[in-house]
Amino acid sequence: MTHPSNSNIDIVKSNTSKIENVDFDNLTFGRTFTDHMFVCDFIDGKWQQPKIMPYQAMTFEPSARVFHYGQAVFEGMKAFKDDAGKVWLFRPEENHKRINISSARLAMPEFPKDYFLDGLEALLKLDKDWIKPGVGNSLYLRPFVIATEPAISASPANMYRFMIICSPAKAYYSGKVRVLFAEKYSRSADGGVGFAKAAGNYAAQFYPTSLAQEKGYQQIIWTDASTHEFLEEAGTMNIFFRINDTLVTAPISDRILDGITRKSIIQLAEDNNVPVEVRRVPVSEIKEAARNGSLKEIFGAGTAAVISPISAFEHGNEVFELPEMENAYATMFKKELLNIQHNLSDDKHGWRREVK
Ligand SMILES: *Cc1c(COP(=O)(O)O)cnc(C)c1O
């Protein structure tokens, strides 16, 4: 894979590092940021000179369009360090493709692939000490784009800022996740923006999720907006069901985000001769499978937690507890993915990309 050198990025290095003050064994997800950030502005119809600078606060006019109309999209990805000190990204071209799919839906300009990949690599080279080796440690990377133009007429902006910030992350043990199947609220609708990583999709989930949390559930599993009869996704994760030995997950649509973890798991399942069915998943089928014992596992899949097993769900005021599984698919696929990400196993699909 060839790409231009990083020499086309203006770099201002931080004079000091905050790293000595960070307790890497006790990180709260998403609260600590590295010494540098990547910034590139879109002005007069084109992306300007990309820059890396010390992580710092920024100023915007109160009229910046992002504050009023929510033109904002983001990505979530991770960098890993192997025991030899090499730094790896996992399928970063997929994140680049997806941020542009998200941007297009929000009438925002696409970001060039070489800027995206070179920006990541240059940033990771500067902040590589923030990536700790060992399975479970990673550097969470947050590329995002916001509309910065100071104007409050309701139309797409003419100015945007693309940025990447980085946050060290520890193995994320979600514990036992109990979920509520959505019966009233929806996160996305036909023709809407559910397939985009649009900031507003998250804002819209916070209130219904807080109601679920008051009832003792950590997450909502979203159902289709028109009938609430089909299970779609976990909101920040895609969702898988294991019925007997078959893995079942909903097909991608304009309501469901095309998760990179999801498609990697589908591929790993095929590699392991685990039968996979990508099809609509009726709530009634999952409840019946829970009653007759054929429902073995439910798990969420996404970059942050990789795989997050679900121990119980509620629907129609009925609570279903899932059995503890030996040889769980959740455990197996999580291990396989982590081993590929950390350069501990063969990468036969070419998913790893070394940061040199
Ligand atoms: C980011 C996200 C996912 C998971 O995608 P990955 O590429 O696997 O991290 C799933 N659902 C939604 C709504 C998301 O925003």
Side-chain angles (χ1 to χ4, degrees):
M1 223 167 297
T2 60
H3 53 278
S5 74
N6 298 322
S7 55
N8 56 351
I9 301 172
D10 282 349
I11 297 180
V12 177
K13 280 195 198 173
S14 176
N15 294 325
T16 56
S17 176
K18 299 170 289 191
I19 200 165
E20 299 307 326
N21 304 325
V22 176
D23 178 359
F24 281 86
D25 292 324
N26 292 293
L27 292 163
T28 308
F29 183 77
R31 296 240 177 216
T32 305
F33 296 93
T34 62
D35 293 321
H36 298 91
M37 62 187 193
F38 176 89
V39 182
C40 188
D41 285 319
F42 183 88
I43 305 169
D44 294 335
K46 69 180 216 291
W47 291 102
Q48 308 291 312
Q49 175 69 31
K51 296 174 196 155
I52 289 175
M53 59 179 77
Y55 180 91
Q56 61 193 275
M58 299 180 296
T59 56
F60 298 102
E61 290 201 29
S63 57
R65 287 189 197 258
V66 63
F67 302 138
H68 304 273
Y69 306 118
Q71 256 189 311
V73 299
F74 68 95
E75 269 305 319
M77 50 201 299
K78 282 177 173 174
F80 308 91
K81 191 178 272 177
D82 66 22
D83 293 335
K86 287 184 182 169
V87 174
W88 302 91
L89 289 166
F90 183 71
R91 308 186 76 176
E93 294 92 348
E94 296 288 333
N95 298 93
H96 171 257
K97 256 191 252 167
R98 192 168 64 189
I99 202 166
N100 284 343
I101 290 169
S102 300
S103 289
R105 179 62 181 81
L106 275 89
M108 298 165 76
E110 295 191 353
F111 194 66
K113 186 174 177 184
D114 55 344
Y115 283 21
F116 186 90
L117 295 175
D118 293 352
L120 278 170
E121 296 201 351
L123 192 55
L124 289 172
K125 265 187 247 175
L126 283 177
D127 285 343
K128 65 174 179 302
D129 291 347
W130 292 78
I131 317 171
K132 299 298 172 193
V135 170
N137 295 322
S138 65
L139 187 64
Y140 184 82
L141 310 170
R142 169 52 60 86
F144 63 105
V145 195
I146 53 173
T148 48
E149 186 186 12
I152 57 167
S153 49
S155 57
N158 291 315
M159 286 168 61
Y160 296 90
R161 179 164 291 179
F162 174 96
M163 304 194 60
I164 306 171
I165 55 176
C166 316
S167 179
K170 211 37 206 166
Y172 183 104
Y173 294 111
S174 41
K176 289 213 180 274
V177 179
R178 302 174 68 86
V179 300
L180 195 61
F181 288 178
E183 293 176 66
K184 173 177 179 190
Y185 294 99
S186 304
R187 75 170 279 278
S188 65
D190 293 334
V193 297
F195 67 93
K197 262 183 129 65
N201 284 342
Y202 283 72
Q205 294 187 87
F206 292 157
Y207 174 68
T209 304
S210 72
L211 296 181
Q213 285 167 351
E214 280 170 20
K215 292 184 73 175
Y217 297 96
Q218 284 81 48
Q219 285 294 335
I220 295 179
I221 304 305
W222 299 101
T223 48
D224 68 297
S226 41
T227 68
H228 295 298
E229 283 173 14
F230 296 92
L231 293 155
E232 300 212 314
E233 68 159 310
T236 60
M237 292 186 287
N238 295 108
I239 184 134
F240 285 86
F241 303 87
R242 173 178 173 183
I243 300 175
N244 292 318
D245 286 336
T246 301
L247 208 50
V248 184
T249 192
I252 293 309
S253 71
D254 56 3
R255 298 183 307 274
I256 299 183
L257 190 115
D258 187 3
I260 296 162
T261 316
R262 174 186 176 277
K263 58 183 156 202
S264 303
I265 289 170
I266 292 172
Q267 181 65 57
L268 292 178
E270 286 169 5
D271 295 351
N272 284 286
N273 297 316
V274 167
V276 186
E277 292 176 9
V278 178
R279 57 162 173 88
R280 302 193 83 184
V281 188
V283 173
S284 57
E285 177 188 342
I286 297 304
K287 288 169 78 171
E288 183 49 33
R291 282 192 196 102
N292 70 26
S294 59
L295 180 68
K296 308 293 185 198
E297 293 176 63
I298 307 179
F299 56 86
T303 295
V306 189
I307 287 180
S308 180
I310 288 166
S311 63
F313 68 89
E314 181 185 317
H315 180 267
N317 295 319
E318 254 184 292
V319 179
F320 298 83
E321 305 284 340
L322 273 79
E324 282 282 339
M325 279 296 291
E326 301 236 330
N327 305 317
Y329 284 171
T331 316
M332 171 175 106
F333 291 127
K334 182 169 184 173
K335 185 158 189 264
E336 283 199 18
L337 267 177
L338 286 170
N339 282 347
I340 294 171
Q341 292 172 334
H342 288 265
N343 191 28
L344 292 169
S345 65
D346 273 1
D347 177 26
K348 65 178 186 186
H349 300 291
W351 288 342
R352 275 195 300 262
R353 181 190 173 98
E354 190 180 350
V355 176
K356 287 196 183 134

PDB file of all heavy atoms in Angstrom, residues 4 16 54-55 65 67 80 85 89 92 107 115 120 155 160-161 206 235 248 298 315 324 341:
ATOM      1  N   PRO A   4       1.177   9.047   0.043  1.00  0.00           N
ATOM      2  CA  PRO A   4       2.172  10.118   0.124  1.00  0.00           C
ATOM      3  C   PRO A   4       2.796  10.202   1.523  1.00  0.00           C
ATOM      4  O   PRO A   4       2.210   9.736   2.491  1.00  0.00           O
ATOM      5  CB  PRO A   4       1.368  11.385  -0.168  1.00  0.00           C
ATOM      6  CG  PRO A   4       0.079  10.943  -0.742  1.00  0.00           C
ATOM      7  CD  PRO A   4      -0.160   9.548  -0.293  1.00  0.00           C
ATOM      8  N   THR A  16       5.617  20.374  25.979  1.00  0.00           N
ATOM      9  CA  THR A  16       5.582  19.525  27.166  1.00  0.00           C
ATOM     10  C   THR A  16       4.641  18.367  26.874  1.00  0.00           C
ATOM     11  O   THR A  16       3.842  18.445  25.948  1.00  0.00           O
ATOM     12  CB  THR A  16       5.020  20.301  28.377  1.00  0.00           C
ATOM     13  OG1 THR A  16       3.728  20.800  28.006  1.00  0.00           O
ATOM     14  CG2 THR A  16       5.917  21.456  28.775  1.00  0.00           C
ATOM     15  N   PRO A  54      -0.645  21.164  19.284  1.00  0.00           N
ATOM     16  CA  PRO A  54      -0.940  20.683  20.638  1.00  0.00           C
ATOM     17  C   PRO A  54      -2.454  20.626  20.869  1.00  0.00           C
ATOM     18  O   PRO A  54      -3.181  21.511  20.406  1.00  0.00           O
ATOM     19  CB  PRO A  54      -0.279  21.737  21.538  1.00  0.00           C
ATOM     20  CG  PRO A  54       0.834  22.295  20.695  1.00  0.00           C
ATOM     21  CD  PRO A  54       0.291  22.301  19.289  1.00  0.00           C
ATOM     22  N   TYR A  55      -2.902  19.587  21.558  1.00  0.00           N
ATOM     23  CA  TYR A  55      -4.317  19.473  21.929  1.00  0.00           C
ATOM     24  C   TYR A  55      -4.695  20.709  22.744  1.00  0.00           C
ATOM     25  O   TYR A  55      -4.002  21.071  23.696  1.00  0.00           O
ATOM     26  CB  TYR A  55      -4.535  18.209  22.765  1.00  0.00           C
ATOM     27  CG  TYR A  55      -5.978  18.026  23.173  1.00  0.00           C
ATOM     28  CD1 TYR A  55      -6.854  17.301  22.375  1.00  0.00           C
ATOM     29  CD2 TYR A  55      -6.469  18.601  24.349  1.00  0.00           C
ATOM     30  CE1 TYR A  55      -8.177  17.143  22.727  1.00  0.00           C
ATOM     31  CE2 TYR A  55      -7.802  18.452  24.712  1.00  0.00           C
ATOM     32  CZ  TYR A  55      -8.654  17.729  23.893  1.00  0.00           C
ATOM     33  OH  TYR A  55      -9.970  17.592  24.240  1.00  0.00           O
ATOM     34  N   ARG A  65     -22.587  27.092  12.595  1.00  0.00           N
ATOM     35  CA  ARG A  65     -23.790  26.337  12.246  1.00  0.00           C
ATOM     36  C   ARG A  65     -23.953  25.027  13.006  1.00  0.00           C
ATOM     37  O   ARG A  65     -25.070  24.587  13.253  1.00  0.00           O
ATOM     38  CB  ARG A  65     -23.788  26.059  10.750  1.00  0.00           C
ATOM     39  CG  ARG A  65     -24.077  27.286   9.920  1.00  0.00           C
ATOM     40  CD  ARG A  65     -24.278  26.828   8.491  1.00  0.00           C
ATOM     41  NE  ARG A  65     -24.178  27.911   7.544  1.00  0.00           N
ATOM     42  CZ  ARG A  65     -25.247  28.490   6.987  1.00  0.00           C
ATOM     43  NH1 ARG A  65     -26.456  28.129   7.318  1.00  0.00           N
ATOM     44  NH2 ARG A  65     -25.067  29.445   6.101  1.00  0.00           N
ATOM     45  N   PHE A  67     -23.734  24.436  16.019  1.00  0.00           N
ATOM     46  CA  PHE A  67     -24.479  24.633  17.277  1.00  0.00           C
ATOM     47  C   PHE A  67     -25.981  24.750  17.055  1.00  0.00           C
ATOM     48  O   PHE A  67     -26.761  24.597  17.987  1.00  0.00           O
ATOM     49  CB  PHE A  67     -23.991  25.885  18.004  1.00  0.00           C
ATOM     50  CG  PHE A  67     -22.521  25.865  18.339  1.00  0.00           C
ATOM     51  CD1 PHE A  67     -21.743  27.002  18.167  1.00  0.00           C
ATOM     52  CD2 PHE A  67     -21.919  24.720  18.851  1.00  0.00           C
ATOM     53  CE1 PHE A  67     -20.403  27.000  18.485  1.00  0.00           C
ATOM     54  CE2 PHE A  67     -20.565  24.710  19.169  1.00  0.00           C
ATOM     55  CZ  PHE A  67     -19.804  25.855  18.975  1.00  0.00           C
ATOM     56  N   PHE A  80      -3.362   0.181  18.077  1.00  0.00           N
ATOM     57  CA  PHE A  80      -2.855  -0.840  18.997  1.00  0.00           C
ATOM     58  C   PHE A  80      -1.343  -0.906  18.897  1.00  0.00           C
ATOM     59  O   PHE A  80      -0.777  -0.592  17.850  1.00  0.00           O
ATOM     60  CB  PHE A  80      -3.415  -2.214  18.614  1.00  0.00           C
ATOM     61  CG  PHE A  80      -4.906  -2.219  18.470  1.00  0.00           C
ATOM     62  CD1 PHE A  80      -5.502  -1.964  17.235  1.00  0.00           C
ATOM     63  CD2 PHE A  80      -5.724  -2.440  19.566  1.00  0.00           C
ATOM     64  CE1 PHE A  80      -6.881  -1.945  17.089  1.00  0.00           C
ATOM     65  CE2 PHE A  80      -7.111  -2.425  19.432  1.00  0.00           C
ATOM     66  CZ  PHE A  80      -7.680  -2.177  18.196  1.00  0.00           C
ATOM     67  N   GLY A  85       6.510  -3.205  19.892  1.00  0.00           N
ATOM     68  CA  GLY A  85       6.426  -1.745  19.830  1.00  0.00           C
ATOM     69  C   GLY A  85       5.880  -1.203  18.512  1.00  0.00           C
ATOM     70  O   GLY A  85       5.828   0.007  18.308  1.00  0.00           O
ATOM     71  N   LEU A  89      -3.237  -0.052  12.980  1.00  0.00           N
ATOM     72  CA  LEU A  89      -4.635   0.369  12.857  1.00  0.00           C
ATOM     73  C   LEU A  89      -5.432  -0.826  12.337  1.00  0.00           C
ATOM     74  O   LEU A  89      -4.874  -1.725  11.707  1.00  0.00           O
ATOM     75  CB  LEU A  89      -4.748   1.536  11.868  1.00  0.00           C
ATOM     76  CG  LEU A  89      -4.192   2.870  12.360  1.00  0.00           C
ATOM     77  CD1 LEU A  89      -4.035   3.844  11.198  1.00  0.00           C
ATOM     78  CD2 LEU A  89      -5.109   3.468  13.427  1.00  0.00           C
ATOM     79  N   PRO A  92      -8.572   0.905   8.688  1.00  0.00           N
ATOM     80  CA  PRO A  92      -8.840   2.351   8.726  1.00  0.00           C
ATOM     81  C   PRO A  92      -9.490   2.898   7.455  1.00  0.00           C
ATOM     82  O   PRO A  92     -10.210   3.905   7.525  1.00  0.00           O
ATOM     83  CB  PRO A  92      -7.445   2.962   8.923  1.00  0.00           C
ATOM     84  CG  PRO A  92      -6.500   1.947   8.381  1.00  0.00           C
ATOM     85  CD  PRO A  92      -7.117   0.614   8.708  1.00  0.00           C
ATOM     86  N   ALA A 107     -25.014  16.618   3.940  1.00  0.00           N
ATOM     87  CA  ALA A 107     -24.659  17.692   3.000  1.00  0.00           C
ATOM     88  C   ALA A 107     -23.336  18.355   3.358  1.00  0.00           C
ATOM     89  O   ALA A 107     -23.180  19.573   3.253  1.00  0.00           O
ATOM     90  CB  ALA A 107     -25.788  18.740   2.922  1.00  0.00           C
ATOM     91  N   TYR A 115      -5.354  12.543   3.148  1.00  0.00           N
ATOM     92  CA  TYR A 115      -5.311  13.404   4.338  1.00  0.00           C
ATOM     93  C   TYR A 115      -5.717  12.608   5.582  1.00  0.00           C
ATOM     94  O   TYR A 115      -5.126  12.751   6.649  1.00  0.00           O
ATOM     95  CB  TYR A 115      -6.273  14.591   4.197  1.00  0.00           C
ATOM     96  CG  TYR A 115      -5.817  15.724   3.304  1.00  0.00           C
ATOM     97  CD1 TYR A 115      -4.850  15.551   2.330  1.00  0.00           C
ATOM     98  CD2 TYR A 115      -6.388  16.992   3.445  1.00  0.00           C
ATOM     99  CE1 TYR A 115      -4.466  16.599   1.502  1.00  0.00           C
ATOM    100  CE2 TYR A 115      -6.012  18.054   2.633  1.00  0.00           C
ATOM    101  CZ  TYR A 115      -5.050  17.845   1.660  1.00  0.00           C
ATOM    102  OH  TYR A 115      -4.683  18.892   0.856  1.00  0.00           O
ATOM    103  N   LEU A 120      -3.781  10.479  10.409  1.00  0.00           N
ATOM    104  CA  LEU A 120      -3.759   9.484  11.484  1.00  0.00           C
ATOM    105  C   LEU A 120      -2.328   9.039  11.776  1.00  0.00           C
ATOM    106  O   LEU A 120      -1.916   8.978  12.943  1.00  0.00           O
ATOM    107  CB  LEU A 120      -4.546   8.245  11.063  1.00  0.00           C
ATOM    108  CG  LEU A 120      -6.052   8.279  11.212  1.00  0.00           C
ATOM    109  CD1 LEU A 120      -6.647   7.059  10.505  1.00  0.00           C
ATOM    110  CD2 LEU A 120      -6.450   8.300  12.681  1.00  0.00           C
ATOM    111  N   SER A 155     -29.285  26.308   6.194  1.00  0.00           N
ATOM    112  CA  SER A 155     -28.778  25.710   4.957  1.00  0.00           C
ATOM    113  C   SER A 155     -27.394  25.153   5.244  1.00  0.00           C
ATOM    114  O   SER A 155     -26.782  25.502   6.256  1.00  0.00           O
ATOM    115  CB  SER A 155     -28.724  26.763   3.846  1.00  0.00           C
ATOM    116  OG  SER A 155     -27.920  27.857   4.253  1.00  0.00           O
ATOM    117  N   TYR A 160     -16.130  24.133   7.183  1.00  0.00           N
ATOM    118  CA  TYR A 160     -16.139  22.960   8.064  1.00  0.00           C
ATOM    119  C   TYR A 160     -14.768  22.785   8.684  1.00  0.00           C
ATOM    120  O   TYR A 160     -13.759  23.274   8.153  1.00  0.00           O
ATOM    121  CB  TYR A 160     -16.491  21.693   7.268  1.00  0.00           C
ATOM    122  CG  TYR A 160     -17.885  21.750   6.699  1.00  0.00           C
ATOM    123  CD1 TYR A 160     -18.117  22.287   5.435  1.00  0.00           C
ATOM    124  CD2 TYR A 160     -18.975  21.304   7.443  1.00  0.00           C
ATOM    125  CE1 TYR A 160     -19.395  22.370   4.928  1.00  0.00           C
ATOM    126  CE2 TYR A 160     -20.262  21.384   6.933  1.00  0.00           C
ATOM    127  CZ  TYR A 160     -20.467  21.916   5.679  1.00  0.00           C
ATOM    128  OH  TYR A 160     -21.734  22.007   5.181  1.00  0.00           O
ATOM    129  N   ARG A 161     -14.723  22.059   9.785  1.00  0.00           N
ATOM    130  CA  ARG A 161     -13.442  21.660  10.352  1.00  0.00           C
ATOM    131  C   ARG A 161     -13.438  20.153  10.549  1.00  0.00           C
ATOM    132  O   ARG A 161     -14.361  19.603  11.160  1.00  0.00           O
ATOM    133  CB  ARG A 161     -13.182  22.377  11.681  1.00  0.00           C
ATOM    134  CG  ARG A 161     -11.852  21.979  12.319  1.00  0.00           C
ATOM    135  CD  ARG A 161     -11.425  22.948  13.386  1.00  0.00           C
ATOM    136  NE  ARG A 161     -11.053  24.236  12.776  1.00  0.00           N
ATOM    137  CZ  ARG A 161     -10.654  25.300  13.471  1.00  0.00           C
ATOM    138  NH1 ARG A 161     -10.591  25.238  14.793  1.00  0.00           N
ATOM    139  NH2 ARG A 161     -10.344  26.417  12.847  1.00  0.00           N
ATOM    140  N   PHE A 206     -30.293   9.555  24.108  1.00  0.00           N
ATOM    141  CA  PHE A 206     -29.969   9.725  25.527  1.00  0.00           C
ATOM    142  C   PHE A 206     -31.216   9.670  26.423  1.00  0.00           C
ATOM    143  O   PHE A 206     -31.211   9.021  27.463  1.00  0.00           O
ATOM    144  CB  PHE A 206     -29.208  11.044  25.763  1.00  0.00           C
ATOM    145  CG  PHE A 206     -27.815  11.071  25.168  1.00  0.00           C
ATOM    146  CD1 PHE A 206     -27.203  12.285  24.879  1.00  0.00           C
ATOM    147  CD2 PHE A 206     -27.115   9.901  24.913  1.00  0.00           C
ATOM    148  CE1 PHE A 206     -25.914  12.323  24.336  1.00  0.00           C
ATOM    149  CE2 PHE A 206     -25.830   9.931  24.369  1.00  0.00           C
ATOM    150  CZ  PHE A 206     -25.233  11.152  24.080  1.00  0.00           C
ATOM    151  N   GLY A 235     -27.583   0.694  19.196  1.00  0.00           N
ATOM    152  CA  GLY A 235     -27.452   2.149  19.339  1.00  0.00           C
ATOM    153  C   GLY A 235     -26.040   2.659  19.224  1.00  0.00           C
ATOM    154  O   GLY A 235     -25.778   3.620  18.520  1.00  0.00           O
ATOM    155  N   VAL A 248     -27.212 -14.857  14.099  1.00  0.00           N
ATOM    156  CA  VAL A 248     -28.209 -14.121  13.333  1.00  0.00           C
ATOM    157  C   VAL A 248     -28.026 -12.634  13.599  1.00  0.00           C
ATOM    158  O   VAL A 248     -27.845 -12.219  14.747  1.00  0.00           O
ATOM    159  CB  VAL A 248     -29.643 -14.546  13.739  1.00  0.00           C
ATOM    160  CG1 VAL A 248     -30.679 -13.844  12.872  1.00  0.00           C
ATOM    161  CG2 VAL A 248     -29.805 -16.056  13.641  1.00  0.00           C
ATOM    162  N   ILE A 298     -26.826 -13.309  23.220  1.00  0.00           N
ATOM    163  CA  ILE A 298     -27.034 -12.047  22.500  1.00  0.00           C
ATOM    164  C   ILE A 298     -25.782 -11.212  22.804  1.00  0.00           C
ATOM    165  O   ILE A 298     -25.331 -11.182  23.956  1.00  0.00           O
ATOM    166  CB  ILE A 298     -28.266 -11.252  22.990  1.00  0.00           C
ATOM    167  CG1 ILE A 298     -29.531 -12.119  22.977  1.00  0.00           C
ATOM    168  CG2 ILE A 298     -28.472 -10.001  22.141  1.00  0.00           C
ATOM    169  CD1 ILE A 298     -30.787 -11.380  23.487  1.00  0.00           C
ATOM    170  N   HIS A 315     -39.074  -7.305  27.354  1.00  0.00           N
ATOM    171  CA  HIS A 315     -39.991  -6.850  26.311  1.00  0.00           C
ATOM    172  C   HIS A 315     -41.403  -7.184  26.765  1.00  0.00           C
ATOM    173  O   HIS A 315     -41.652  -8.273  27.282  1.00  0.00           O
ATOM    174  CB  HIS A 315     -39.687  -7.535  24.970  1.00  0.00           C
ATOM    175  CG  HIS A 315     -40.606  -7.095  23.868  1.00  0.00           C
ATOM    176  ND1 HIS A 315     -41.762  -7.767  23.549  1.00  0.00           N
ATOM    177  CD2 HIS A 315     -40.546  -6.013  23.042  1.00  0.00           C
ATOM    178  CE1 HIS A 315     -42.370  -7.129  22.550  1.00  0.00           C
ATOM    179  NE2 HIS A 315     -41.653  -6.062  22.234  1.00  0.00           N
ATOM    180  N   GLU A 324     -25.617 -18.731  31.253  1.00  0.00           N
ATOM    181  CA  GLU A 324     -24.163 -18.583  31.122  1.00  0.00           C
ATOM    182  C   GLU A 324     -23.699 -19.624  30.111  1.00  0.00           C
ATOM    183  O   GLU A 324     -24.030 -20.792  30.237  1.00  0.00           O
ATOM    184  CB  GLU A 324     -23.474 -18.883  32.461  1.00  0.00           C
ATOM    185  CG  GLU A 324     -23.536 -17.771  33.479  1.00  0.00           C
ATOM    186  CD  GLU A 324     -22.529 -16.657  33.212  1.00  0.00           C
ATOM    187  OE1 GLU A 324     -21.535 -16.908  32.498  1.00  0.00           O
ATOM    188  OE2 GLU A 324     -22.762 -15.543  33.719  1.00  0.00           O
ATOM    189  N   GLN A 341      -6.025  -7.619  15.925  1.00  0.00           N
ATOM    190  CA  GLN A 341      -5.743  -6.198  16.143  1.00  0.00           C
ATOM    191  C   GLN A 341      -4.373  -5.972  16.780  1.00  0.00           C
ATOM    192  O   GLN A 341      -3.693  -4.993  16.474  1.00  0.00           O
ATOM    193  CB  GLN A 341      -6.845  -5.573  17.006  1.00  0.00           C
ATOM    194  CG  GLN A 341      -8.173  -5.508  16.257  1.00  0.00           C
ATOM    195  CD  GLN A 341      -9.332  -5.070  17.125  1.00  0.00           C
ATOM    196  OE1 GLN A 341      -9.333  -5.255  18.350  1.00  0.00           O
ATOM    197  NE2 GLN A 341     -10.359  -4.492  16.498  1.00  0.00           N
TER     198      GLN A 341
END
